Amino acid sequence: MDHQSYAAFATNSTNPLYLHSNESPALILVAPPLDNKNYHTWSRLMHIALISKNKERFIDGSFPKQFVSDPMYAQWIRCNTMVLSWIQRSISESIAKSVLWIATPSDVWNNLRIRFSHSDVFRISDIQEELYRFRQGTLDVSEYFTQLKMLWDELENYHPLPCCTCSFACSCGVVDSAKKYREQDYVIRFLKRLNDRFAQSKSQIMMMTPLPHIDKAFSLVIQQERELNYSLSSDSTNFEVTALHVNGQHGKQSHISKGKGNRVCTHCGRTNHTVDTCFQKNGYPPGYRQKNKGQNSTHASSQSQANNATNGSASAEIASGPSFGFIQEEFQSIWALLQQSKHLLLPIPSPLHP
């Protein structure tokens, strides 16, 4: 390869040995880093990242080391070291130390796969048990489906369906049928562990023939979830508006009734009577039993005696009736009130009409 051909090859973006000027060995391609529990997820993400950078041939072994005499040797060493740095940055510190002295990315990749890709029956049984115990609970439909999908994908990595290895293409359709049955199992498992409020969607989907794909079933259920959430939100808003309206009317009526029912005396300031029938101003009738004792009773008695003394001169002019300190009209008004009072056990005979 001459110098001109080499320059054209080295600057071609489709060339695995091409590196952009922004490429850095400190770049972290995958997060979270690899540990002893997330190998399958990490390897999938790392593989996608290396494909996007056109460097997947460095981990699958299809781009072996160049000879020292090859004009592409220096470029190969540079790309090889760059991929090694990306892998080192994407794994935990303890694991990175164990693969520090491995020279090629393909050897590091194989070493990690052998160490952490545990496809043993114990892990398979744990995933299957978790799948059968897993329920929606307090999760929304999207979170519930996402966690189920993660378990299904991990089980697929550990326990994949067999592929046809015949020299001629198989025409019996056994592999396709096995995939179809597994998809149906996914749909059934997804629907059976939903909450009871999705009973209508569950029954409708499971009565379909054939069963829809798992993604279609998820789409139907998520639509009902949005409808249910909208209905609950509307009902809550209507309830709050109605409660505010009722409370407002009740408060308004209470205010009106209180305003109409209370009569205030302008003489003593008390309620439920007026100045025309005020005992403190016009005097207490004979035999009146006062509710309050002590100072209030003393004050009322003194006030009554004063009022009686004041009205004595006016009552002296009435010769036909006895002297009680009242004029006849005032006494008749007080007498009518006494007949309606619940405090008197026996009716009092009128002194004006024996």
Side-chain angles (χ1 to χ4, degrees):
M1 181 182 295
D2 56 10
H3 181 73
Q4 186 175 3
S5 300
Y6 169 75
F9 180 76
T11 56
N12 187 1
S13 59
T14 61
N15 174 25
L17 298 179
Y18 172 77
L19 284 175
H20 194 270
S21 57
N22 293 330
E23 303 288 4
S24 169
L27 183 63
I28 300 176
L29 300 182
V30 175
L34 173 66
D35 54 25
N36 58 352
K37 297 179 180 180
N38 65 341
Y39 170 78
H40 292 282
T41 304
W42 174 87
S43 62
R44 174 62 177 168
L45 295 175
M46 193 68 185
H47 194 205
I48 293 173
L50 292 175
I51 290 175
S52 66
K53 294 182 173 296
N54 197 25
K55 297 294 184 291
E56 75 278 4
R57 295 179 61 183
F58 281 88
I59 62 173
D60 60 15
S62 60
F63 203 161
K65 183 178 180 180
Q66 304 295 311
F67 294 103
V68 177
S69 58
D70 194 294
M72 302 297 296
Y73 177 77
Q75 189 73 9
W76 186 92
I77 289 293
R78 183 186 178 193
C79 292
N80 182 81
T81 307
M82 187 70 71
V83 176
L84 281 174
S85 298
W86 290 341
I87 296 177
Q88 288 282 337
R89 292 285 182 175
S90 300
I91 59 181
S92 62
E93 184 178 357
S94 60
I95 299 176
K97 293 178 180 180
S98 65
V99 296
L100 179 62
W101 302 102
I102 300 179
T104 61
S106 60
D107 291 339
V108 174
W109 193 264
N110 291 330
N111 181 277
L112 296 175
R113 178 179 56 82
I114 295 172
R115 291 167 58 186
F116 297 105
S117 179
H118 304 297
S119 57
D120 56 288
V121 294
F122 296 103
R123 180 53 185 163
I124 294 174
S125 64
D126 291 341
I127 297 175
Q128 290 177 344
E129 184 178 358
E130 188 172 357
L131 280 171
Y132 280 97
R133 288 188 294 103
F134 189 67
R135 297 177 181 273
Q136 181 185 357
T138 58
L139 302 175
D140 57 33
V141 176
S142 180
E143 294 177 353
Y144 165 66
F145 177 78
T146 300
Q147 294 191 25
L148 270 180
K149 189 68 166 55
M150 292 173 60
L151 293 173
W152 289 334
D153 291 343
E154 187 176 1
L155 182 62
E156 181 68 23
N157 286 326
Y158 287 138
H159 199 192
L161 291 175
C163 298
C164 181
T165 58
C166 299
S167 56
F168 298 96
C170 185
S171 59
C172 65
V174 174
V175 177
D176 294 337
S177 298
K179 292 181 180 179
K180 180 181 178 181
Y181 291 149
R182 174 166 285 188
E183 288 292 335
Q184 291 179 353
D185 291 341
Y186 290 164
V187 175
I188 295 172
R189 184 57 49 195
F190 168 69
L191 295 175
K192 291 293 290 183
R193 292 297 184 262
L194 286 171
N195 291 337
D196 293 337
R197 66 173 183 155
F198 298 102
Q200 182 179 359
S201 295
K202 290 193 290 185
S203 59
Q204 291 178 353
I205 296 174
M206 295 185 71
M207 291 176 64
M208 293 182 180
T209 304
L211 282 176
H213 190 268
I214 181 62
D215 295 333
K216 179 63 176 177
F218 168 75
S219 176
L220 295 174
V221 175
I222 203 73
Q223 291 179 25
Q224 186 185 5
E225 184 185 41
R226 286 196 295 266
E227 182 179 357
L228 291 174
N229 292 338
Y230 176 77
S231 300
L232 291 175
S233 177
S234 300
D235 294 343
S236 177
T237 303
N238 293 335
F239 176 77
E240 291 176 358
V241 172
T242 304
L244 290 175
H245 178 72
V246 171
N247 292 334
Q249 292 294 333
H250 178 70
K252 183 178 180 181
Q253 293 175 0
S254 300
H255 177 72
I256 293 175
S257 62
K258 289 181 180 179
K260 289 183 177 180
N262 288 341
R263 296 175 297 171
V264 181
C265 177
T266 58
H267 177 74
C268 66
R270 297 185 179 181
T271 59
N272 296 328
H273 69 278
T274 61
V275 67
D276 295 333
T277 58
C278 181
F279 289 170
Q280 292 187 8
K281 179 180 180 181
N282 301 318
Y284 289 85
Y288 178 77
R289 298 181 180 181
Q290 302 182 34
K291 296 180 180 179
N292 298 328
K293 304 296 181 180
Q295 296 180 357
N296 292 337
S297 177
T298 304
H299 175 74
S301 300
S302 60
Q303 184 68 26
S304 177
Q305 293 176 1
N307 291 335
N308 290 337
T310 303
N311 295 330
S313 59
S315 61
E317 298 178 359
I318 305 175
S320 58
S323 178
F324 291 97
F326 300 97
I327 63 176
Q328 186 174 2
E329 290 79 8
E330 292 176 346
F331 187 84
Q332 293 294 338
S333 175
I334 296 173
W335 180 256
L337 291 175
L338 291 175
Q339 292 297 326
Q340 300 176 0
S341 175
K342 297 181 181 180
H343 297 285
L344 297 179
L345 301 178
L346 295 174
I348 302 175
S350 174
L352 297 181
H353 303 282

